[in-house]
Amino acid sequence: MPGRQPPFEAAVTGLGLVTAAGTGAKATWHAVTGGAPPEGVRRPPELAELPCDFMYLNTGLDPAAVLGTAAVRLMDRFTQLAVIAAREAVADAGLDPAAWDGARVAVVIGSAHGGLPFYDEQHTVLASRGTRRVSPKLAPLTVVNGAASGVVADLGALGPSLAVSTACSSGTVALGTAHQMLRSGACDIVIAGGAESVLSRLLIASACRLRAVSTRRSDPATACRPFDADRDGFVVGEGAGLLVLERPEHARARGAAVRAVVRGYGASSDACSVVAPDPEGAGIERALRTALADADLAGADVDHVNAHGTSTVLNDLIEGHALSRVLGDRPLVTSTKAVTGHTLGAAGGIETALTVLALEEQTVPPTVNLTTPDPGLPPGLDLVRGAARRAHLRCAVKTSLGFGGHNAALVLTRD
């Protein structure tokens, strides 16, 4: 095609994860590949008596013990999770913030809701105690760019910093934006992904009204069941997933271990609904085809898909058919949300990190809680279930869809 750029391979040199499945990339990978029921589902008092009174939380992490009490007081929890994940990713990449050229380091972090729980808290303060008791920290702690600014301050990254908010595709769009920034030469290193923590009674009550979340209160650990015939909605989770991406020559020059490369990115809009995906899946199909074209690869080259797979009736059918149309029946498809929960704006960052690990380990995690695939799915769709599956993986895709019709896809390959 005239004017098409040659593929640009952004080197992935570091991963950082904080999820309800554990703190650190190793802990989360162990959980998602184990095939066991998730252990991070909790019933917090904030959600008492709601139709969905459970969510995925990391209750074993004390951010103050990691970051210090003074620092934590100036960060909402989604920012705390982002900084912890960023530190792990940077250390994993073998980078020393004290020695790098900070002006060549960028940060791009996605979040759908920012510091929403603190809004809830302060609204209660306003209603019960008056204006003089409202915290002056409300605005700086709750803005969506809080995670990006927190990571910038913690690590001394002096290049461009951006916040992406495209609902549940935010983390994937952030990584795609990082890929484009590196291709343009604007920076040498980008710390990118997503962060979210929305233990908000108001938000979950609204999601219940929308019938987007599962109300399987009798057995919360099996409530999230992507692609299953008996699914009834997603379960919200908290977490952060950040990756270190570098220009390939920069990674080579410092002798970095390249864990995978981001080779292609595509994004699109549905322009049809504020909550439901395009019923024909045209938007996610367009994003996926764009990403493959950007990578100069064909659908037949893809070995594995970490799908958006939310466990909602509409998403899983629409996405499944779009994947089949573009990629055929060859790729091994999974959704890891039954272990991590749906982490909204963080999902793309967390799941891209897991896709890197799948390529590295030559292993596809199972779709936990999937027992009976929806008969409306394409019959040849190869959904990994029951146990992790070993396979020869060279190329993988991460797909994301977000409220408002925001679609995104990344193409990753082994270095």
Side-chain angles (χ1 to χ4, degrees):
M1 183 182 294
R4 179 184 292 174
Q5 293 179 297
F8 175 79
E9 296 187 336
V12 180
T13 57
L15 306 176
L17 288 173
V18 180
T19 70
T23 301
K26 288 183 180 178
T28 300
W29 178 250
H30 177 75
V32 300
T33 54
E39 297 181 358
V41 184
R42 300 287 183 267
R43 279 195 158 103
E46 291 88 344
L47 306 184
E49 299 181 8
L50 291 179
C52 179
D53 62 354
F54 50 92
M55 66 182 291
Y56 289 74
L57 298 169
N58 185 324
T59 56
L61 173 65
D62 178 6
V66 180
L67 304 174
T69 302
V72 163
R73 286 175 179 163
L74 297 176
M75 300 178 188
D76 188 80
R77 184 167 171 88
F78 87 110
T79 300
Q80 297 165 15
L81 302 184
V83 172
I84 292 169
R87 286 186 180 184
E88 182 190 14
V90 168
D92 183 48
L95 289 164
D96 179 4
W100 65 22
D101 179 0
R104 299 292 296 169
V105 180
V107 174
V108 186
I109 300 178
S111 179
H113 294 285
L116 182 60
F118 195 51
Y119 272 114
D120 281 5
E121 176 188 315
Q122 292 302 302
H123 180 268
T124 300
V125 170
L126 176 65
S128 62
R129 302 173 65 188
T131 58
R132 294 184 63 81
R133 305 302 297 178
V134 172
S135 172
K137 297 186 291 185
L138 177 65
L141 264 63
T142 57
V143 287
V144 172
N145 70 307
S149 64
V151 170
V152 163
D154 188 71
L155 296 177
L158 304 177
S161 60
L162 303 173
V164 172
S165 192
T166 54
C168 302
S169 65
S170 299
T172 304
V173 173
L175 286 160
T177 302
H179 180 263
Q180 294 174 332
M181 291 171 71
L182 290 166
R183 172 184 260 162
S184 75
C187 47
D188 296 321
I189 301 168
V190 187
I191 302 161
E196 203 82 82
S197 184
V198 286
L199 179 49
S200 163
R201 184 174 180 81
L202 179 64
L203 179 69
I204 303 303
S206 174
C208 291
R209 294 279 294 152
L210 191 60
R211 298 182 180 178
V213 292
S214 173
T215 56
R216 199 183 302 268
R217 297 174 64 183
S218 62
D219 191 6
T222 66
C224 182
R225 43 181 61 207
F227 300 109
D228 194 87
D230 195 30
R231 67 192 184 280
D232 73 328
F234 62 81
V235 181
V236 175
E238 68 170 356
L242 294 179
L243 290 75
V244 173
L245 273 59
E246 301 184 50
R247 289 185 60 83
E249 64 271 22
H250 185 272
R252 285 194 298 269
R254 67 183 191 86
V258 177
R259 307 186 67 163
V261 298
V262 177
R263 185 180 167 99
Y265 168 60
S268 70
S269 300
D270 288 343
C272 70
S273 170
V274 294
V275 292
D278 181 321
E280 301 302 318
I284 188 58
E285 179 177 343
R286 189 163 54 251
L288 183 49
R289 292 190 186 280
T290 300
L292 288 168
D294 190 39
D296 196 21
L297 293 170
D301 295 314
V302 178
D303 303 307
H304 166 47
V305 179
N306 187 305
H308 192 53
T310 58
S311 186
T312 61
V313 173
L314 285 178
N315 177 89
D316 294 5
L317 278 176
I318 291 168
E319 184 180 15
H321 281 279
L323 292 175
S324 183
R325 287 195 301 271
V326 179
L327 307 177
D329 300 336
R330 183 170 174 273
L332 304 180
V333 179
T334 193
S335 169
T336 48
K337 285 186 172 67
V339 179
T340 64
H342 188 358
T343 55
L344 309 178
I350 291 168
E351 292 157 14
T352 300
L354 294 174
T355 305
V356 170
L357 288 164
L359 288 169
E360 213 171 43
E361 300 294 331
Q362 296 288 279
T363 301
V364 177
T367 304
V368 171
N369 294 333
L370 171 56
T371 57
T372 306
D374 189 322
L377 289 165
L381 194 68
D382 195 350
L383 294 164
V384 178
R385 55 192 173 116
R389 195 184 305 180
R390 296 280 299 172
H392 180 67
L393 307 176
R394 288 288 305 167
C395 176
V397 162
K398 171 68 204 129
T399 51
S400 293
L401 297 83
F403 277 5
H406 300 287
N407 309 292
L410 295 169
V411 177
L412 297 94
T413 59
R414 296 181 71 189
D415 183 41

